[in-house]
Amino acid sequence: MTEFTAKIILTDIEGTTTSISFVKDKLFPYAKENTKDYLKETWLSNETNEIVRELLDLPEFEAYTKEVSKVANESLDVSTVDAFVKYLIDKDLKLGPLKRLQGLVWEKGYESGDLKGHVYPDVPEAFKRWTEAGLRLAIYSSGSIKAQQLLFGQTELGNLLPYISGHFDTTSGHKQEQQSYVNIAKALGEDPCNILFLTDVVKEAEAARKAGYQTAILARPGNAPLTDDDKTQYTVVSDFESLAISLKQTT
């Protein structure tokens, strides 16, 4: 059992609370398959118009039009936008308007029951245990805040949102940059040394540690393998049950 004392636990999602395969093999394909229908249904809405404008303003759209031998000023219809979205998803690009559109498509999926958020079996009990001990729990993911709330609000193991007091996405900064964790600590109103960051990505742990955070890396099945050097430099655990986290008392 690995012991920490902290006031806030900040946790990543993919590979930490949720399997990478759920995101890669369920959420992304669902967005690809259902974006066109969503655009058809909402094409005249202000929200969709705004997202489409933001998508077409991306530098990636010019690259896309060249790649598929289209001209940027051709008639832009649902099919064109849908094809561009598929192009962005295939390239695994984490772009604001794309994430916003994906979140709306996923929302429809959760509402219809086509989607249920995946979390590892140890997650609900850990969230409950930590919050009952007086710790605050927050999420930091490259997925949008809306997508985070959808996932944790409608998991296969129940609604976990009541345990979560804060959500952060890339509007706070890139996950592998030290400044992002400085920004989040300020937003949480807490000294970085009192925050424990849980992730499966070494470069994220490195950035958080440089910002003054405590860190632990999750080595769950399906996650990227860790080197011997990684295991020497960082605390590595297999699951949340391996963590004993107590509330740091104010002196």
Side-chain angles (χ1 to χ4, degrees):
M1 185 73 71
T2 303
E3 298 183 359
F4 289 94
T5 58
K7 293 184 178 180
I8 298 175
I9 298 168
L10 180 69
T11 180
D12 170 49
I13 294 178
E14 189 178 347
T16 304
T17 66
T18 299
S19 70
I20 293 173
S21 63
F22 172 72
V23 178
K24 300 294 186 187
D25 301 332
K26 183 68 175 179
L27 287 184
F28 285 173
Y30 188 89
K32 285 182 68 174
E33 293 166 10
N34 292 276
T35 290
K36 191 170 187 176
D37 286 343
Y38 180 83
L39 289 171
K40 284 180 179 178
E41 293 171 10
T42 65
W43 189 249
L44 298 179
S45 72
N46 290 335
E47 185 170 40
T48 294
N49 283 334
E50 182 180 338
I51 291 172
V52 169
R53 285 196 302 271
E54 291 176 0
L55 282 168
L56 302 184
D57 283 341
L58 292 170
E60 288 79 7
F61 184 63
E62 183 178 355
Y64 166 73
T65 56
K66 290 178 180 177
E67 186 170 318
V68 298
S69 301
K70 292 179 179 288
V71 292
N73 62 352
E74 78 168 74
S75 177
L76 296 170
D77 57 13
V78 168
S79 295
T80 302
V81 176
D82 176 56
F84 179 49
V85 167
K86 286 182 169 66
Y87 167 86
L88 296 176
I89 292 173
D90 286 340
K91 289 190 173 295
D92 194 25
L93 297 176
K94 296 173 172 58
L95 303 167
L98 173 64
K99 291 191 295 179
R100 185 176 169 193
L101 180 58
Q102 286 175 320
L104 292 167
V105 174
W106 290 331
E107 183 174 28
K108 287 270 189 179
Y110 283 110
E111 287 175 350
S112 68
D114 290 341
L115 291 175
K116 281 288 186 182
H118 170 269
V119 292
Y120 292 107
D122 57 294
V123 170
E125 180 56 37
F127 280 15
K128 181 175 183 289
R129 181 171 68 250
W130 296 337
T131 54
E132 286 182 349
L135 291 148
R136 292 163 60 194
L137 176 65
I139 306 295
Y140 181 30
S141 172
S142 58
S144 69
I145 290 173
K146 183 180 186 69
Q148 297 173 27
Q149 293 170 334
L150 288 168
L151 190 157
F152 287 110
Q154 301 178 73
T155 82
E156 299 162 332
L157 301 177
N159 178 11
L160 303 184
L161 284 178
Y163 299 117
I164 302 169
S165 60
H167 293 268
F168 299 91
D169 58 17
T170 52
T171 58
S172 296
H174 193 284
K175 293 188 70 185
Q176 296 183 14
E177 294 177 356
Q178 176 182 343
Q179 186 60 44
S180 306
Y181 298 89
V182 173
N183 296 341
I184 290 172
K186 287 181 180 178
L188 291 169
E190 189 56 72
D191 190 309
C193 70
N194 294 328
I195 304 174
L196 171 62
F197 179 53
L198 307 177
T199 182
D200 65 308
V201 179
V202 173
K203 288 188 178 297
E204 293 177 4
E206 180 182 12
R209 191 160 71 174
K210 286 180 179 177
Y213 286 53
Q214 303 175 69
T215 62
I217 295 178
L218 274 294
R220 293 191 184 272
N223 288 1
L226 299 171
T227 67
D228 290 338
D229 192 41
D230 295 334
K231 295 174 183 177
T232 299
Q233 293 191 45
Y234 294 92
T235 298
V236 178
V237 295
S238 59
D239 53 40
F240 287 169
E241 291 179 350
S242 304
L243 290 167
I245 309 171
S246 58
L247 179 64
K248 184 174 183 178
Q249 301 298 321
T250 302
T251 56

